[in-house]
Amino acid sequence: MHPTTARPTITVTTDGAGVVSHVGSRLLAELADRSGLTEAFSDALHGLRERCSGHDPGRVLTDLAVLLADGGRSISDLAVLRDQPTLFGPVASTATAWRVLDKIDPVALNRVRAARSRAREQLWAQRAETVGPIGGYRAGGRTWPGLRIMFDATLVTAHSDKELAAANFKGGYGFHPLTAWLDNTGEALAAVLRPGNAGSNTASDHIAVTDLALAQIPDQYRHGVPILVSADGAGATRAWLQHLRAQRQTGVDLEFSVGFTMTATVQAAILALPSNAWVQAINADGSLRDGADVAELTGMLGDLTAAGWPAGIRVIVRREHPHPGAQLSFTDHDGWRFQAFATDTRAGQLAHLEARHRAHARVEDRIRCAKNQGLARLPSRQFAINAVWVELALTAADLIAWTQTTLLEGDLATAEPAALRYRLLHVAARITRGQRRLFVRIDKAWPWREQLATAFARLHALPRPIA
């Protein structure tokens, strides 16, 4: 038999004192304060405050966003913060939080969105002064200049009867929110909660989320750097692409890269391409990809502008042999699988433009993480409250992204929220007082103690918001 090392025997008591947990989540709460988010929320909801001695509604929203970023699954999980007043200060009761959410109507929700934009502008200025301005986004082994906004919808299951919940195209029941994310930093820009039977390619919804997303971008970036909007095939509608093109008239240097529907006409045009039209595709790291090619299809589709598409639109197609076991569809032919996308980017090698578009798949990771931060568990039967909850889930994603891009580095700066909670957010510590200060003492053996302490030091060094 192999010898085993026994775990040390422990005796559990409930008489401890001066011990706190979720120390890293205090980092999120303090970043919300330092960026001006809490104050912006307070200003947006000033009229909802019942009495001066009551809880500030803006602070309630901040605590709920911290709760979601921390991994909380329901409003009652505010108890984790509320029962540690030494670390988090006064936190509203569950009933108070419900009342605040219930009072936020669509007009107030728009003010909450504007508050997020105001805080984002401040945080970006703080980050530019301490870390540096936002860089480009990676795709196809290179860094592309400017910002990239990724659009995608997702299905959220409702396990009970909720207002406006409906059956979806996959046979489930619930909601079908449409979201927009900033690829450069992982920030959540905008979302619109929709019934489960909402269409995937509803142009009016894409237009609404576009306007909300662009409103989140600080003015000097919205009008000062190129912006790429990307989406899957659901975004290939004439009305939405025309709306994106119209942004140039307002001084926004915006281009698009969206999936293009594989119709019979498109398939026939692909099959008519000469063999010399194809060039080898590239991998995500920029290396050549065996068994995959790309070609431009624009000239084979007739007058796209006359058909209602924006002037200058280009259609590019990729072909690749499906992996073993993949199921073929009617658009596949002669052992090839085809995927097409449309862009109005004028210059660039086809392989790089296709690799840039394929990087849109990162949005699925953003949504998956957001579902673990409140997006997948809408708390109320009322649609209006759930719409506010979605905005809080976006705020939670922002707090994580702001922390990683401003206060952390190395593996922690790119870790998923679940890993970040395990290593930083849920850390326990001992509270001591001395020299008229409050000390939070992390175990000297904790592997990520230095990174957490450094993050707090960087947070405290951030410039104060300008009043």
Side-chain angles (χ1 to χ4, degrees):
M1 296 179 60
H2 296 286
T4 60
T5 302
R7 304 181 193 275
T9 302
I10 63 173
T11 300
V12 179
T13 68
T14 59
D15 56 355
V19 179
V20 292
S21 62
H22 296 254
V23 172
S25 294
R26 166 59 190 259
L27 187 71
L28 304 180
E30 200 165 336
L31 180 58
D33 297 342
R34 197 61 173 250
S35 66
L37 178 65
T38 305
E39 182 181 0
F41 278 167
S42 298
D43 293 343
L45 303 181
H46 177 72
L48 303 186
R49 191 164 188 171
E50 297 178 350
R51 60 185 188 280
C52 294
S53 60
H55 287 276
D56 176 13
R59 169 66 185 276
V60 173
L61 289 194
T62 296
D63 287 340
L64 285 172
V66 171
L67 157 76
L68 294 177
D70 185 61
R73 297 168 62 84
S74 65
I75 297 176
S76 61
D77 287 337
L78 273 175
V80 173
L81 310 184
R82 185 170 56 251
D83 292 343
Q84 300 187 91
T86 306
L87 191 61
F88 293 102
V91 175
S93 66
T94 300
T96 298
W98 272 110
R99 286 195 296 270
V100 169
L101 294 178
D102 188 47
K103 291 179 179 179
I104 301 177
D105 59 16
V107 175
L109 178 58
N110 283 333
R111 294 200 300 269
V112 169
R113 289 167 172 155
R116 291 183 58 232
S117 175
R118 171 181 155 190
R120 192 183 315 279
E121 182 176 14
Q122 177 62 48
L123 189 280
W124 283 24
Q126 292 170 317
R127 183 166 52 201
E129 188 171 336
T130 56
V131 180
I134 293 177
Y137 54 93
R138 294 286 298 175
R142 57 171 287 191
T143 298
W144 297 76
L147 306 179
R148 177 176 188 158
I149 302 176
M150 305 181 297
F151 284 71
D152 200 15
T154 188
L155 296 175
V156 173
T157 300
H159 297 284
S160 61
D161 190 25
K162 298 180 185 292
E163 184 182 7
L164 296 186
N168 59 52
F169 63 93
K170 287 191 174 181
Y173 178 81
F175 299 93
H176 193 194
L178 178 63
T179 66
W181 302 80
L182 184 65
D183 189 24
N184 306 61
T185 61
E187 293 173 60
L189 297 180
V192 169
L193 184 63
R194 307 182 300 166
N197 58 0
S200 297
N201 59 349
T202 304
S204 59
D205 292 339
H206 280 80
I207 290 172
V209 176
T210 296
D211 294 343
L212 292 174
L214 290 176
Q216 289 292 320
I217 304 296
D219 186 71
Q220 66 269 32
Y221 287 87
R222 187 169 62 251
H223 293 96
V225 300
I227 297 176
L228 177 72
V229 168
S230 66
D232 58 17
T237 61
R238 295 168 177 83
W240 185 45
L241 297 188
Q242 291 286 10
H243 182 75
L244 294 178
R245 171 59 61 82
Q247 300 304 313
R248 297 183 183 178
Q249 300 174 10
T250 64
V252 180
D253 182 11
L254 188 148
E255 296 178 341
F256 59 78
S257 179
V258 301
F260 200 73
T261 306
M262 189 68 67
T263 63
T265 300
V266 173
Q267 185 183 29
I270 293 173
L271 299 180
L273 285 171
S275 58
N276 61 0
W278 297 95
V279 297
Q280 193 169 5
I282 61 175
N283 291 306
D285 61 1
S287 61
L288 294 176
R289 184 175 182 87
D290 294 332
D293 307 290
V294 295
E296 181 149 6
L297 198 62
T298 310
M300 309 291 290
L301 296 175
D303 191 345
L304 293 173
T305 303
W309 298 100
I313 189 173
R314 304 170 63 189
V315 179
I316 298 171
V317 64
R318 168 192 175 93
R319 70 178 184 183
E320 186 170 19
H321 291 294
H323 61 79
Q327 293 184 350
L328 301 180
S329 65
F330 80 96
T331 58
D332 300 325
H333 179 80
D334 197 24
W336 292 101
R337 169 157 291 174
F338 300 104
Q339 292 178 315
F341 72 98
T343 183
D344 59 347
T345 300
R346 300 174 183 85
Q349 295 180 351
L350 294 181
H352 283 92
L353 293 178
E354 192 276 331
R356 182 187 69 172
H357 176 74
R358 197 158 14 99
H360 172 77
R362 285 195 290 261
V363 71
E364 297 179 4
D365 290 330
R366 302 299 181 192
I367 291 176
R368 176 176 50 80
C369 291
K371 285 187 170 182
N372 197 25
Q373 296 173 146
L375 186 60
R377 294 181 63 87
L378 304 180
S380 177
R381 294 180 181 270
Q382 300 179 36
F383 185 85
I385 291 179
N386 289 333
V388 179
W389 189 262
V390 168
E391 205 67 27
L392 292 176
L394 301 183
T395 306
D398 276 349
L399 289 176
I400 293 292
W402 293 353
T403 298
Q404 291 186 300
T405 58
T406 309
L407 307 178
L408 300 176
E409 57 186 18
D411 292 342
L412 292 177
T414 57
E416 292 200 354
L420 208 60
R421 292 173 194 143
Y422 184 81
R423 299 175 182 181
L424 288 190
L425 301 189
H426 295 175
V427 170
R430 184 166 58 91
I431 294 284
T432 63
R433 289 177 171 83
Q435 305 170 15
R436 298 183 179 180
R437 291 190 293 172
L438 190 68
F439 292 89
V440 177
R441 302 190 181 279
I442 303 169
D443 192 321
K444 62 182 180 181
W446 186 251
W448 299 279
R449 63 193 182 281
E450 295 296 340
Q451 290 93 325
L452 183 55
T454 299
F456 273 105
R458 289 174 176 170
L459 172 63
H460 298 154
L462 289 178
R464 292 283 183 181
I466 300 175

